[in-house]
Amino acid sequence: METLKELFTAKTFNKVSYVAVICWTLFGASLLAIFADTENSESRFDFRCDIDTVKSVSNVDFVRGKCFEQYEKRYNKFSIPVYAFVIVNFSLIGIVCVIYSQIVKSRVDALRQAYNSDAERRHPCNPTRRRRKLFIAYCCQLATRFALGIIFIVLQTQLLYPSNFPSNFDCNLTSGGSHATNSSGRNIQNTTYECHNQRATKKTFWTSAVSVVNGVFALLILMEFICILSRARKERTSWKTHSF
């Protein structure tokens, strides 16, 4: 926890945003642990197919393996493990926060020191330019985090895992036989097996949780962005030190 406090300096965020950033990091670590355990323990042996009653099948493990490959290709066509997506998702947004916090930390200290000195001398220097730079930097990191959150939601739900991971799956395998003949004259037989993925429900739940977390934090960022812009407009100033 102390490491997080050093990386995400509290004085560079407002209170709500700082709590959100810490929660974001903790959520990311928790989800990563869950998906790492799921991916490491998941195997084709958790993938069951109704093939025991089919007498023509002599190699059950081979059929199960082929069906598992079909399942993976259909519902994870880019072969990107969910835990890898979670790492990139939470790490990239966290890195944006760290970079922002470390860059503006010295500026916040300098601005506070200037205000304290002015209060003692009773001759304020009105460092408007410094406040404006801090305001712009804060808005930029908010906009970047919001954009990344939306991008990851779209990637997850529309490109990488659009159908999540259903428990039931119909597997179609083609093998030699006498029921059908293709254009080259070879006999082929299409066999359909009903398969069940035991870990699919858990995996789907936590995959959906990732998009929900992204959506909630994106909404919070948008609300904060609107609030600070509205306040800046009303006060006719770019930034105030106590906002951090």
Side-chain angles (χ1 to χ4, degrees):
M1 196 66 180
E2 292 299 325
T3 303
L4 290 180
K5 291 181 179 180
E6 292 179 2
L7 292 175
F8 307 111
T9 309
K11 58 189 173 185
T12 59
F13 298 92
N14 64 42
K15 293 181 179 179
V16 176
S17 186
Y18 180 70
V19 172
V21 169
I22 296 298
C23 290
W24 172 267
T25 305
L26 297 178
F27 274 129
S30 300
L31 289 171
L32 176 59
I34 291 171
F35 280 111
D37 176 69
T38 301
E39 295 288 344
N40 289 333
S41 57
E42 184 181 35
S43 69
R44 62 188 180 91
F45 296 105
D46 297 313
F47 194 81
R48 304 289 182 179
C49 295
D50 186 18
I51 58 179
D52 295 336
T53 59
V54 182
K55 297 181 180 180
S56 60
V57 176
S58 58
N59 194 337
V60 174
D61 290 338
F62 175 79
V63 173
R64 182 188 293 130
K66 283 292 185 180
C67 288
F68 184 70
E69 288 179 3
Q70 279 193 19
Y71 182 89
E72 286 292 302
K73 288 180 180 179
R74 178 174 299 183
Y75 299 109
N76 188 6
K77 58 183 178 180
F78 293 99
S79 300
I80 299 177
V82 182
Y83 74 85
F85 175 80
V86 172
I87 291 175
V88 176
N89 185 166
F90 285 85
S91 297
L92 191 56
I93 295 179
I95 289 172
V96 171
C97 296
V98 171
I99 292 175
Y100 158 78
S101 182
Q102 296 301 314
I103 288 177
V104 305
K105 180 170 60 175
S106 59
R107 296 183 181 181
V108 173
D109 290 335
L111 191 58
R112 284 186 170 181
Q113 186 177 1
Y115 269 102
N116 292 334
S117 299
D118 292 340
E120 293 177 359
R121 294 195 303 264
R122 297 182 181 180
H123 294 292
C125 62
N126 190 25
T128 304
R129 187 175 180 181
R130 290 181 179 178
R131 293 200 304 268
R132 183 178 294 112
K133 288 182 177 180
L134 288 175
F135 177 78
I136 293 174
Y138 193 79
C139 288
C140 286
Q141 65 88 19
L142 281 180
T144 303
R145 287 164 54 197
F146 177 79
L148 288 174
I150 298 301
I151 289 173
F152 282 120
I153 291 175
V154 173
L155 283 176
Q156 177 186 337
T157 59
Q158 303 299 320
L159 184 63
L160 298 179
Y161 320 108
S163 302
N164 285 321
F165 301 94
S167 298
N168 298 319
F169 173 70
D170 290 334
C171 172
N172 295 307
L173 295 182
T174 301
S175 60
S178 58
H179 294 280
T181 304
N182 62 9
S183 58
S184 62
R186 295 180 58 187
N187 292 329
I188 59 173
Q189 179 181 0
N190 292 322
T191 306
T192 300
Y193 304 100
E194 294 182 1
C195 301
H196 179 77
N197 189 345
Q198 296 179 357
R199 296 182 181 271
T201 301
K202 177 181 178 181
K203 195 171 182 178
T204 295
F205 174 82
W206 289 112
T207 302
S208 300
V210 174
S211 60
V212 170
V213 170
N214 276 323
V216 170
F217 278 89
L219 180 60
L220 291 176
I221 291 171
L222 180 61
M223 292 173 62
E224 181 183 1
F225 193 73
I226 293 174
C227 287
I228 63 174
L229 287 180
S230 176
R231 185 173 60 184
R233 183 178 180 181
K234 289 180 180 179
E235 296 178 355
R236 295 181 180 180
T237 183
S238 300
W239 191 251
K240 288 188 176 182
T241 307
H242 68 264
S243 298
F244 287 90

